[in-house]
Amino acid sequence: MEVTFVLYPNMTSLDLIGPFEVLASVPVVTPKFAAATLDPVRSDNGLVVQPTHTFADVESTGIVVVPGSGRWKKVLTESGELVEWLRAVHPTTKWTTSVCTGSTLLAEAGLVSRATTHWAAREDLEVRGVEVARERVVFDGKVVTGAGVSAGIDMALRLVEAEFGEEVAQAVQVGIEYDPQPPRAFDSIPPEIAQGLKTAFDTSSR
């Protein structure tokens, strides 16, 4: 199955690499890395990734994975070409997925009605007419969204289970030795810490 990983400037690298490691562990998966051009793409923390295809090259694909960005407000103002491509390719996919604030790009394209995202971007998702869920992974028809950053691994494992079965998902999870401990979530930490984080993310997202 062909999986197209979306690249764009200021994407968050773990949003991309986490699902890639999970999905690429399945032998029948063929990955592609698509961007507006074939120029190298720099993540928000400086990792540089080389695209293998342009958006124009990919007219159909089995799965799309859209990473988020720590600068998602800026990305949303510059994402016209990506959003148009998502609208065009979505009818051809079996699964259209996102990680973190990538769900705001799916919302901008009008592809999702209920989704999760990074806690700092919930309002940006809501103002785009999407019902905001607080689960770590959300299935909305063929659209699958993962919450912030590391949740991309969980999203991809759930996707592997849905597409290839529970035993394959278990094998992949044990293969990458993914056993997150201890579990913590934004809604469970002290309010003063949560507010400080929210202020920092609101500032850095622009």
Side-chain angles (χ1 to χ4, degrees):
M1 172 176 275
E2 185 178 276
V3 181
T4 301
F5 296 88
V6 173
L7 308 180
Y8 60 85
N10 290 315
M11 66 183 178
T12 296
S13 55
L14 186 55
D15 291 7
L16 171 75
I17 299 302
F20 169 74
E21 287 294 336
V22 170
L23 291 165
S25 296
V26 181
V28 298
V29 165
T30 301
K32 288 183 174 180
F33 297 90
T37 72
L38 291 178
D39 295 334
V41 178
R42 184 178 295 274
S43 76
D44 52 12
N45 281 330
L47 180 70
V48 176
V49 183
Q50 178 65 54
T52 59
H53 296 76
T54 67
F55 294 142
D57 294 331
V58 184
E59 297 182 351
S60 65
T61 191
I63 299 173
V64 167
V65 179
V66 183
S69 169
R71 301 171 191 166
W72 72 92
K73 294 181 189 294
K74 175 179 172 60
V75 166
L76 282 166
T77 67
E78 301 172 347
S79 62
E81 185 176 0
L82 169 54
V83 167
E84 287 302 315
W85 178 78
L86 288 171
R87 289 192 186 115
V89 81
H90 177 66
T92 77
T93 68
K94 186 167 185 181
W95 302 100
T96 299
T97 77
S98 69
V99 183
C100 195
T101 60
S103 58
T104 63
L105 291 165
L106 298 185
E108 189 77 2
L111 305 182
V112 64
S113 58
R114 181 175 185 269
T116 188
T117 192
H118 191 285
W119 51 262
R122 288 171 182 168
E123 292 179 5
D124 296 279
L125 198 56
E126 190 171 32
V127 299
R128 287 168 172 79
V130 176
E131 178 188 346
V132 178
R134 299 195 175 194
E135 293 97 321
R136 194 155 171 84
V137 180
V138 171
F139 280 72
D140 179 32
K142 72 170 188 175
V143 178
V144 189
T145 53
V149 194
S150 63
I153 298 174
D154 302 77
M155 183 279 291
L157 286 168
R158 290 280 302 277
L159 185 60
V160 167
E161 182 177 353
E163 182 62 28
F164 303 107
E166 183 179 0
E167 289 185 358
V168 176
Q170 289 175 344
V172 171
Q173 181 169 351
V174 172
I176 64 172
E177 204 164 3
Y178 180 61
D179 185 21
Q181 297 181 36
R184 288 195 180 95
F186 176 77
D187 299 306
S188 68
I189 63 176
E192 62 273 16
I193 297 176
Q195 185 55 51
L197 279 170
K198 193 169 192 316
T199 300
F201 270 89
D202 284 346
T203 301
S204 65
S205 67
R206 293 174 172 81

